Amino acid sequence: MNLAVKIAGVSLKNPVTTGSGTFGSGEEYSEFVELSSLGAVTTKGVANVPWPGNPTPRVAETYGGMLNAVGLQNPGVDVMIERDLPFLKKAGATVIVNVCGKTTEDYLEVVERLSDQPADLLEINVSCPNVKEGGIAFGQDPKALYEITKAVKEKAKQPIIMKLSPNVTDIKEMAKAAEAAGSDALSLINTLTGMKIDIEKRDFLLANKTGGLSGPAIKPVAVRMVYEVCSTVKIPVIGMGGIMNAEDALEFIMAGATAVAVGTANFTDPCATVKVIDGIRTYMEDHGIEDIKELIGCVK
């Protein structure tokens, strides 16, 4: 039975990775999950310099999910290179480094620093709705997305995955812009912008006012967007958004995703990724499917 897939020439032993920002940089979960058993580990977003993130409170529970306004807090690319990448490589993981920035120059600086590092793929975060400058503009305007994709592609030594924002009128237009600019793959969806109000305090629950909604509540929207994008572009897609179990993951795969990312589920069950992999394998056994590729995009 073959669960292996390829994203932009990089082989993954199975189609399951982690959602950026939900798995630390891998080491935090290594007591629960054998990192080499995953298709890949996707790191938390890394910038050219340390980012302090947003003021608290910055996480709130919602029906069927959560809101977060962490603001891409991270220790910067130097720590990634000195601490995180050596750990991941020693653990035998395939590594997708998520890159964030506030300007084109920020992104390019990180991409250049990572050029000789043991990162297998770069996921470019242009869609996080928490950042007040840069990311939201790149991810919501097709021209800006085209330009940032083109600039990153020219500098990157690794294949690039552009991570698309769902907070747009037409996700297909964004996907086409990224593909036209040379992106090797796409990942979607990032969080949907949401809000929660504390009625006792008569104030916003999050200090940032808005936050990114993730978890099972967004899955039907995510599956629809992944289907639309997979029907529009020829490059591989990593699908994500509310995956809690193997059944959820299989919906994305059948909609056309080559691989999937498990995100918010990691907070409720640190072994969620492994359970999704095992569940996919069980489904294939039960249905007499020898190769995962038989399932990718089987729903037209």
Side-chain angles (χ1 to χ4, degrees):
M1 185 187 298
N2 180 33
L3 268 77
V5 297
K6 272 193 176 179
I7 300 284
V10 176
S11 294
L12 311 186
K13 62 180 66 171
N14 60 65
V16 179
T17 184
T18 55
S20 177
T22 67
F23 207 73
S25 288
E27 185 173 0
E28 296 88 336
Y29 280 77
S30 59
E31 291 179 36
F32 303 98
V33 175
E34 190 176 328
L35 300 181
S36 62
S37 70
L38 304 179
V41 172
T42 303
T43 69
K44 181 162 176 54
V46 63
N48 58 330
V49 294
W51 284 8
N54 288 329
T56 57
R58 53 190 193 177
V59 178
E61 194 170 359
T62 63
Y63 289 121
M66 63 179 281
L67 287 168
N68 96 81
V70 172
L72 295 171
Q73 178 177 333
N74 73 91
V77 70
D78 290 343
V79 173
M80 169 72 68
I81 290 169
E82 291 162 18
R83 182 192 69 190
D84 300 331
L85 288 176
F87 178 87
L88 289 168
K89 275 298 145 187
K90 191 176 177 187
T94 299
V95 182
I96 303 173
V97 175
N98 182 283
V99 177
C100 52
K102 295 178 180 177
T103 65
T104 300
E105 291 72 28
D106 288 353
Y107 284 101
L108 298 183
E109 187 179 336
V110 178
V111 167
E112 287 174 345
R113 289 292 312 281
L114 292 170
S115 63
D116 61 349
Q117 295 300 315
D120 299 288
L121 294 151
L122 303 181
E123 181 181 60
I124 312 301
N125 180 11
V126 292
S127 51
C128 187
N130 303 321
V131 180
K132 293 192 174 75
E133 50 198 302
I136 195 160
F138 290 124
Q140 291 186 307
D141 174 57
K143 288 194 181 105
L145 178 61
Y146 179 90
E147 293 301 331
I148 186 73
T149 304
K150 192 164 182 286
V152 168
K153 183 59 186 167
E154 283 171 3
K155 294 284 185 189
K157 293 289 190 285
Q158 297 94 336
I160 65 167
I161 306 162
M162 300 307 289
K163 186 169 187 177
L164 302 184
S165 169
N167 302 306
V168 295
T169 306
D170 187 354
I171 195 77
K172 299 188 293 296
E173 288 304 307
M174 309 308 289
K176 285 192 280 191
E179 182 182 45
S183 187
D184 299 289
L186 300 172
S187 59
L188 66 148
I189 61 174
N190 208 321
T191 55
L192 289 151
T193 306
M195 180 181 284
K196 188 170 183 178
I197 288 171
D198 185 326
I199 62 167
E200 295 304 327
K201 292 181 179 174
R202 301 181 195 178
D203 201 358
F204 303 103
L205 204 140
L206 297 173
N208 193 60
K209 297 183 181 176
T210 62
L213 177 66
S214 64
I218 74 169
K219 192 193 75 177
V221 176
V223 172
R224 184 264 298 176
M225 287 192 170
V226 165
Y227 173 78
E228 287 182 346
V229 167
C230 291
S231 303
T232 303
V233 300
K234 294 186 167 59
I235 53 178
V237 168
I238 302 175
M240 64 193 75
I243 295 174
M244 303 301 285
N245 51 44
E247 290 80 3
D248 295 336
L250 285 161
E251 283 193 55
F252 283 91
I253 290 167
M254 291 181 185
T258 300
V260 296
V262 178
T264 298
N266 292 309
F267 296 138
T268 57
D269 180 359
C271 301
T273 45
V274 176
K275 290 176 182 176
V276 169
I277 295 165
D278 290 344
I280 292 172
R281 188 178 287 112
T282 299
Y283 177 91
M284 290 172 67
E285 286 170 357
D286 291 349
H287 293 79
I289 291 158
E290 286 299 316
D291 195 314
I292 190 74
K293 295 173 192 68
E294 294 174 46
L295 296 175
I296 297 171
C298 68
V299 175
K300 301 296 183 191

